[in-house]
Amino acid sequence: MNSKKILLLIFRSETGTPLTAMETIEQQCARLTDQLNIGLDIHVVSTLESLEKIPHLVDDTDALIVSNEDYAKNSNKGAAVELGIFEAIAQTGIPIIEVHERNILSEVNSRPYLDSPEIGAGLVSGMGPAGYSAAIRALARKLKGNAA
Amino acid sequence: MNVLILNGPNLNMLGTREPEIYGYETLHDIEQRCTAKGATLGLTVDCKQSNHEGQLIEWIQQAISNTDALIINAGAYTHTSIAIHDALKIFSGYKIELHISNPHLRESFRHVSYVSKAVDAVVVGLGASAYLACLETLPEILAS
């Protein structure tokens, strides 16, 4: 029985070509969270309807990974701000890590997607799909209070 | 596989320096855990720290011939050192920039990183456990 749960939110455009297939990400993350005995939910955010579900999903989780896929750039960000999604996330106080497969910070003037100190997210940028693994490992260690 | 972990200025003060930001673990604790974790992963982990820019550059240059991956927390040199940027560009192994806190959520003078432009990946704001998370993920990265 997993007592702690991570929610992976993937902001993905309905059009365009993602760097990594959703199925690959799901399998990789599920394998790792099984090993670490942590629960995992994955929610793809590509429509307004899927965006509106976020506050409810976040209420039921212990940690959050947010991935705004690079090809989608600022997909849904304006709508998320309007709906108060990020405020709702910030109020939960749960640990949050933003993951980018590509190193967005190697680009001039590039900024994290979650750049609000109130949210206080960590960031993994440029590790490819392994970035999800790094984020899951860091969160699992934090949730379990396990330094080793 | 040989991994070098480089820590820059003021990271020798971990545990006492602004612990509300950087945590209570000392650098010695972190290095010991990294070395032990590396051994379980089949990685040979070497940890070094210096407050001096030139020393960090020397170590990066020396790593070129015998190191597969480099994890660097350049501290405040991150925001000022083109020389470290240039040394990192020469190193052809896998490079991760790491910061315990998230500089992008702090003072604006920490928002610029010369290191980010010269590395493969950036990991910030995950606390001291980021060192371990990076080590654990390195085999997966290098195998892909």
Side-chain angles (χ1 to χ4, degrees):
Chain A
M1 177 73 180
N2 301 319
S3 57
K4 300 290 184 183
K5 189 169 73 180
I6 295 172
L7 172 64
L8 169 55
L9 285 180
I10 298 189
F11 286 73
R12 175 166 278 207
S13 168
E14 287 185 291
T15 58
T17 307
L19 291 174
T20 305
M22 201 58 231
E23 191 182 357
T24 305
I25 295 170
E26 285 172 353
Q27 287 175 357
Q28 173 194 313
C29 293
R31 199 163 45 235
L32 182 58
T33 49
D34 276 354
Q35 280 174 19
L36 298 171
N37 199 25
I38 293 275
L40 174 71
D41 279 343
I42 298 178
H43 182 65
V44 177
V45 184
S46 58
T47 63
L48 197 59
E49 190 183 8
S50 56
L51 191 66
E52 287 170 338
K53 287 181 182 169
I54 292 175
H56 173 66
L57 293 168
V58 169
D59 270 348
D60 187 34
T61 196
D62 300 290
L64 186 62
I65 297 172
V66 175
S67 172
N68 180 52
E69 295 197 328
D70 302 324
Y71 72 91
K73 271 286 178 191
N74 290 311
S75 63
N76 290 306
K77 187 166 184 177
V81 170
E82 272 186 36
L83 290 168
I85 300 293
F86 297 130
E87 281 176 28
I89 289 174
Q91 281 170 9
T92 64
I94 60 174
I96 302 170
I97 299 176
E98 173 179 343
V99 172
H100 293 270
E101 293 191 26
R102 201 163 46 86
N103 184 8
I104 60 162
L105 298 176
S106 66
E107 298 163 12
V108 176
N109 294 331
S110 192
R111 297 274 301 150
Y113 186 67
L114 301 176
D115 56 2
S116 157
E118 286 71 35
I119 294 180
L123 176 71
V124 177
S125 171
M127 284 188 178
Y132 297 106
S133 301
I136 288 170
R137 287 187 173 104
L139 289 173
R141 195 167 266 116
K142 194 174 184 83
L143 293 177
K144 291 179 172 181
N146 176 10
Chain B
M1 186 187 306
N2 295 321
V3 181
L4 175 61
I5 298 178
L6 275 187
N7 281 290
N10 294 310
L11 286 153
N12 55 318
M13 301 304 289
L14 281 178
T16 54
R17 174 198 181 196
E18 298 178 273
E20 68 281 6
I21 295 174
Y22 297 103
Y24 290 91
E25 276 184 278
T26 67
L27 183 61
H28 180 69
D29 294 337
I30 293 168
E31 289 178 342
Q32 278 196 323
R33 285 167 50 200
C34 286
T35 307
K37 176 58 74 178
T40 68
L41 297 166
L43 307 174
T44 303
V45 178
D46 187 17
C47 301
K48 297 178 189 290
Q49 186 276 332
S50 178
N51 293 325
H52 303 282
E53 186 178 18
Q55 179 63 78
L56 293 166
I57 291 165
E58 295 278 0
W59 284 332
I60 295 167
Q61 291 179 357
Q62 288 165 15
I64 290 169
S65 59
N66 61 11
T67 302
D68 302 291
L70 175 64
I71 298 171
I72 181 166
N73 182 345
Y77 286 138
T78 300
H79 320 295
T80 61
S81 179
I82 297 171
I84 289 177
H85 164 278
D86 289 349
L88 287 168
K89 293 288 269 189
I90 301 167
F91 179 81
S92 61
Y94 195 82
K95 292 161 279 194
I96 301 174
E97 175 188 10
L98 184 153
H99 297 282
I100 292 171
S101 67
N102 186 344
H104 298 280
L105 305 182
R106 299 178 63 192
E107 304 96 324
S108 58
F109 59 80
R110 297 185 201 274
H111 293 179
V112 172
S113 169
Y114 290 104
V115 173
S116 296
K117 312 282 186 280
V119 296
D120 298 290
V122 180
V123 174
V124 301
L126 274 54
S129 72
Y131 291 93
L132 292 180
C134 286
L135 282 177
E136 289 167 331
T137 309
L138 264 177
E140 185 179 332
I141 295 167
L142 298 178
S144 64

